[in-house]
Amino acid sequence: MIDQPMKTFFTAKEFAITQASVAALLFLSIPLFNALGVSNHKLMAILHGLGATITVILSCQTIHLVYPMLRGKKGAATKLELMLWLTNLLVLLTIIFGNWLYIAYRAPDGPQEWLMYYNPPLHSIMMEFKEFVALYPLPLGIGAAFLLRRFRHNLVPGSAASSIVALLVTLFWICLLIGFVLGFGLAKLKMV
Amino acid sequence: MQAHKQPKSGEIVAVLLSVWLGIVTTTFCHLWSVYNPVRANPLLLKMGSVIPGWWGIGPYAGKEVAGLVVWLATWIILHWTIGRIEVALKPWTIGFIVAFLANLIIVFPPVYHALMWWPALPNTSPAGGG
C-alpha cells in the first residue's frame, strides 16, 4: 500500500493574512499606548505616532514591490504606483501631525527644554537631524510616483527609468526609517 | 502591443534636480539660522506664517515653506525646459546620489556644529532654533 501525502489544511494566503493582521494590530498598539499616558498632548502624539507607524509598514510593502517592477513582472509597476501614492499621502499627513506635535515639543517647559537641560545632544543632534531627514520622503516619494506614471509603458527590465524609480524609493524608505527610529527613540526618552 | 510615446529623459533629471534643490534649501535655511539667527529667524518666521501654528513651530515652519516652494517651483520650470530634451541619465544619477549623501552628511548636527559652533544652552526662546 502506498502512503498518500495528507492534504493541507491551510493555504499560503491564509498564513500570510494571519501574520499580517497580527503584525498590524500589535504594531499599531505601540503608539496607542499613549492613550493611557499622562500627556496633555495625547491627540497630536497619537496621531503622529499612528501616522508614522502605518507609513513605515506601508513603505515596507512599497519597497518590496520595487523588485518585481525591476524584473519587469507584469502589473508590478501599476501596483507599486498605487502603493506609493497611498504612502505619500500618509507621509504628508504624518508631517502635518508632526508639525502640530512640534508646537507642544518646543513650548515652554516642554520636552525640548527638558532634553536640553538633562542631555542636550538628544535635542541638538537627534531631533535636529530627524526633523529635516523625515521631510525628505515627501519629495522623493512624489517624484518616484510621478516618474512611474510618466514612464509606466517603458519600464522594461534594465531600463534607466526603472532603476531611478528604485533609487528614489530606496532613499525614500531609508529617510523614513531614520525619522521613525529617531522619533521612536526620542518618544521613549521623553514623551510630548 | 500598442506603442506608447516615451517621455523625454529630461523629465527624470527635472525630478532629481528639483527634489535635491528643495531638500538643500531646507538645509541652507537651517544652517543660516544657526549661523546668524538674528537675521535669519525673523525672515523664516515670516515665510513660515502661511502654516497654521507657525507661532509655535517657529523658524522651522519657514524652512519647510522655503524647501516646498523651491522644490515645486524648480520642478515646474525644469519640467518645461530640460524635460523636453533627451539627456544622459548616468552622470545626473551619480551626481544626484553624491549630492544627496553630501546633504545628509552636512545636515547631521555634529558636522555643521563642528564647522560653526554649538548653540548656547538652553536655546528655547520663542525665536530660538528648531
Side-chain angles (χ1 to χ4, degrees), chain A residues 129 132-141 167-176 178, chain B residues 15-17 19-24 27 92-108:
Chain A
F129 187 57
F132 291 101
V133 176
L135 295 176
Y136 302 168
L138 187 69
L140 288 167
L167 169 73
L168 290 173
V169 175
T170 304
L171 291 175
F172 161 90
W173 187 85
I174 291 172
C175 291
L176 269 184
I178 292 175
Chain B
V15 168
L16 295 180
L17 198 54
V19 166
W20 186 77
L21 286 171
I23 284 173
V24 93
T27 305
W92 281 102
T93 309
I94 292 170
F96 172 78
I97 295 170
V98 172
F100 190 90
L101 292 178
N103 173 78
L104 216 51
I105 292 167
I106 199 77
V107 84
F108 188 55

Side-chain angles (χ1 to χ4, degrees), chain A residues 29-98:
Chain A
S29 73
I30 297 171
L32 285 175
F33 281 130
N34 293 335
L36 307 171
V38 292
S39 166
N40 290 319
H41 309 281
K42 279 184 197 173
L43 181 62
M44 302 82 128
I46 290 172
L47 285 175
H48 184 57
L50 267 183
T53 310
I54 300 170
T55 307
V56 166
I57 292 172
L58 277 186
S59 76
C60 293
Q61 172 72 5
T62 305
I63 197 167
H64 278 283
L65 289 171
V66 164
Y67 313 120
M69 182 274 291
L70 282 174
R71 288 193 288 266
K73 196 182 166 203
K74 208 171 157 38
T78 319
K79 233 174 166 178
L80 173 63
E81 194 199 328
L82 181 71
M83 279 300 290
L84 202 46
W85 282 120
L86 199 61
T87 321
N88 285 337
L89 181 68
L90 274 156
V91 167
L92 179 63
L93 280 174
T94 308
I95 289 175
I96 291 170
F97 294 145

